[in-house]
mmCIF file of all heavy atoms in Angstrom:
data_model
loop_
_atom_site.group_PDB
_atom_site.id
_atom_site.type_symbol
_atom_site.label_atom_id
_atom_site.label_comp_id
_atom_site.label_asym_id
_atom_site.label_seq_id
_atom_site.Cartn_x
_atom_site.Cartn_y
_atom_site.Cartn_z
ATOM 1 N N GLN A 6 -2.696 52.511 10.991
ATOM 2 C CA GLN A 6 -3.840 52.309 10.056
ATOM 3 C C GLN A 6 -4.921 53.433 10.067
ATOM 4 O O GLN A 6 -5.328 53.789 9.018
ATOM 5 C CB GLN A 6 -4.572 50.899 10.481
ATOM 6 C CG GLN A 6 -3.872 49.713 9.965
ATOM 7 C CD GLN A 6 -4.413 48.452 10.548
ATOM 8 O OE1 GLN A 6 -5.525 48.461 11.281
ATOM 9 N NE2 GLN A 6 -3.776 47.383 10.267
ATOM 10 N N GLU A 9 -4.056 56.468 7.968
ATOM 11 C CA GLU A 9 -3.681 56.099 6.692
ATOM 12 C C GLU A 9 -3.561 57.208 5.635
ATOM 13 O O GLU A 9 -2.574 57.354 4.873
ATOM 14 C CB GLU A 9 -4.801 55.064 6.187
ATOM 15 C CG GLU A 9 -4.427 54.277 4.878
ATOM 16 C CD GLU A 9 -3.190 53.397 5.104
ATOM 17 O OE1 GLU A 9 -3.196 52.578 6.083
ATOM 18 O OE2 GLU A 9 -2.198 53.546 4.333
ATOM 19 N N GLU A 37 8.676 70.905 -0.031
ATOM 20 C CA GLU A 37 7.745 71.944 0.315
ATOM 21 C C GLU A 37 6.374 71.747 -0.136
ATOM 22 O O GLU A 37 5.343 71.909 0.630
ATOM 23 C CB GLU A 37 8.341 73.257 -0.200
ATOM 24 C CG GLU A 37 7.681 74.534 0.186
ATOM 25 C CD GLU A 37 8.461 75.764 -0.187
ATOM 26 O OE1 GLU A 37 9.229 75.770 -1.109
ATOM 27 O OE2 GLU A 37 8.337 76.821 0.451
ATOM 28 N N ILE A 53 10.145 74.488 8.448
ATOM 29 C CA ILE A 53 10.844 73.253 8.108
ATOM 30 C C ILE A 53 11.812 73.341 6.996
ATOM 31 O O ILE A 53 12.937 72.960 7.066
ATOM 32 C CB ILE A 53 9.794 72.130 7.897
ATOM 33 C CG1 ILE A 53 9.014 71.833 9.196
ATOM 34 C CG2 ILE A 53 10.520 70.826 7.322
ATOM 35 C CD1 ILE A 53 7.733 70.978 8.881
ATOM 36 N N ARG A 56 14.968 75.501 7.739
ATOM 37 C CA ARG A 56 15.933 74.780 8.531
ATOM 38 C C ARG A 56 16.661 73.742 7.779
ATOM 39 O O ARG A 56 17.880 73.527 7.973
ATOM 40 C CB ARG A 56 15.216 74.047 9.712
ATOM 41 C CG ARG A 56 14.706 75.007 10.701
ATOM 42 C CD ARG A 56 14.884 74.586 12.091
ATOM 43 N NE ARG A 56 14.164 75.272 13.043
ATOM 44 C CZ ARG A 56 14.064 74.826 14.263
ATOM 45 N NH1 ARG A 56 14.562 73.635 14.670
ATOM 46 N NH2 ARG A 56 13.440 75.558 15.248
ATOM 47 N N VAL A 72 18.263 63.482 4.638
ATOM 48 C CA VAL A 72 17.040 64.601 4.534
ATOM 49 C C VAL A 72 15.784 64.063 5.267
ATOM 50 O O VAL A 72 15.194 64.887 6.003
ATOM 51 C CB VAL A 72 16.667 64.913 3.020
ATOM 52 C CG1 VAL A 72 15.546 65.800 2.943
ATOM 53 C CG2 VAL A 72 17.921 65.477 2.364
ATOM 54 N N ALA A 75 15.921 64.387 8.872
ATOM 55 C CA ALA A 75 15.931 65.797 9.246
ATOM 56 C C ALA A 75 14.511 66.347 9.261
ATOM 57 O O ALA A 75 14.066 67.117 10.177
ATOM 58 C CB ALA A 75 16.846 66.700 8.326
ATOM 59 N N ASP A 89 0.894 67.886 25.991
ATOM 60 C CA ASP A 89 0.653 68.255 27.274
ATOM 61 C C ASP A 89 -0.707 67.757 27.713
ATOM 62 O O ASP A 89 -1.781 68.312 27.411
ATOM 63 C CB ASP A 89 0.611 69.849 27.248
ATOM 64 C CG ASP A 89 0.463 70.397 28.740
ATOM 65 O OD1 ASP A 89 0.466 69.672 29.654
ATOM 66 O OD2 ASP A 89 0.337 71.659 28.797
ATOM 67 N N LYS A 97 -9.970 70.512 42.367
ATOM 68 C CA LYS A 97 -11.103 71.469 41.808
ATOM 69 C C LYS A 97 -12.236 70.508 41.689
ATOM 70 O O LYS A 97 -12.294 69.594 40.875
ATOM 71 C CB LYS A 97 -10.620 71.902 40.366
ATOM 72 C CG LYS A 97 -9.182 72.254 40.291
ATOM 73 C CD LYS A 97 -8.930 73.725 40.665
ATOM 74 C CE LYS A 97 -7.622 74.071 40.174
ATOM 75 N NZ LYS A 97 -6.925 74.795 41.262
ATOM 76 N N VAL A 107 -17.283 74.693 16.191
ATOM 77 C CA VAL A 107 -18.396 74.744 15.325
ATOM 78 C C VAL A 107 -19.085 73.536 15.110
ATOM 79 O O VAL A 107 -18.511 72.469 15.463
ATOM 80 C CB VAL A 107 -18.004 75.478 13.869
ATOM 81 C CG1 VAL A 107 -17.188 76.719 14.191
ATOM 82 C CG2 VAL A 107 -17.083 74.536 13.105
ATOM 83 N N LEU A 124 -15.244 58.346 33.581
ATOM 84 C CA LEU A 124 -15.996 57.436 34.360
ATOM 85 C C LEU A 124 -15.167 56.110 34.614
ATOM 86 O O LEU A 124 -15.198 55.580 35.681
ATOM 87 C CB LEU A 124 -17.261 56.882 33.519
ATOM 88 C CG LEU A 124 -18.355 57.957 33.344
ATOM 89 C CD1 LEU A 124 -19.387 57.451 32.445
ATOM 90 C CD2 LEU A 124 -19.043 58.256 34.806
ATOM 91 N N ASN A 153 -25.412 55.887 30.040
ATOM 92 C CA ASN A 153 -24.254 55.766 30.828
ATOM 93 C C ASN A 153 -24.403 56.209 32.288
ATOM 94 O O ASN A 153 -23.512 56.248 33.046
ATOM 95 C CB ASN A 153 -23.117 56.591 30.363
ATOM 96 C CG ASN A 153 -22.650 55.979 28.913
ATOM 97 O OD1 ASN A 153 -21.881 55.086 28.861
ATOM 98 N ND2 ASN A 153 -23.281 56.603 27.828
ATOM 99 N N SER A 162 -34.955 73.743 24.457
ATOM 100 C CA SER A 162 -34.168 74.337 23.379
ATOM 101 C C SER A 162 -34.434 75.820 23.203
ATOM 102 O O SER A 162 -35.574 76.220 23.354
ATOM 103 C CB SER A 162 -34.323 73.429 22.050
ATOM 104 O OG SER A 162 -35.053 74.207 21.214
ATOM 105 N N VAL A 169 -27.851 77.555 31.391
ATOM 106 C CA VAL A 169 -27.771 76.092 31.493
ATOM 107 C C VAL A 169 -26.505 75.775 32.254
ATOM 108 O O VAL A 169 -26.524 74.905 33.209
ATOM 109 C CB VAL A 169 -27.841 75.377 30.107
ATOM 110 C CG1 VAL A 169 -27.619 73.943 30.281
ATOM 111 C CG2 VAL A 169 -29.168 75.715 29.469
ATOM 112 N N LYS A 205 -19.833 85.772 28.251
ATOM 113 C CA LYS A 205 -20.932 85.672 29.177
ATOM 114 C C LYS A 205 -20.991 84.332 29.940
ATOM 115 O O LYS A 205 -21.079 84.341 31.157
ATOM 116 C CB LYS A 205 -22.232 85.871 28.442
ATOM 117 C CG LYS A 205 -23.475 85.832 29.270
ATOM 118 C CD LYS A 205 -24.712 86.056 28.569
ATOM 119 C CE LYS A 205 -25.955 85.823 29.344
ATOM 120 N NZ LYS A 205 -27.153 85.819 28.535
ATOM 121 N N ALA A 265 0.359 72.696 11.616
ATOM 122 C CA ALA A 265 0.021 74.125 11.384
ATOM 123 C C ALA A 265 -0.526 74.730 12.768
ATOM 124 O O ALA A 265 -0.187 75.874 13.029
ATOM 125 C CB ALA A 265 -1.059 74.171 10.205
ATOM 126 N N ILE A 266 -1.321 74.031 13.406
ATOM 127 C CA ILE A 266 -1.929 74.514 14.650
ATOM 128 C C ILE A 266 -0.764 74.741 15.663
ATOM 129 O O ILE A 266 -0.652 75.730 16.352
ATOM 130 C CB ILE A 266 -3.036 73.600 15.218
ATOM 131 C CG1 ILE A 266 -4.264 73.688 14.286
ATOM 132 C CG2 ILE A 266 -3.381 73.940 16.629
ATOM 133 C CD1 ILE A 266 -5.262 72.694 14.599
#
Side-chain angles (χ1 to χ4, degrees):
Q6 277 172 7
E9 194 60 54
E37 187 169 25
I53 293 167
R56 291 219 193 172
V72 174
D89 183 5
K97 319 272 191 234
V107 305
L124 289 174
N153 295 275
S162 105
V169 174
K205 181 177 173 192
I266 290 173

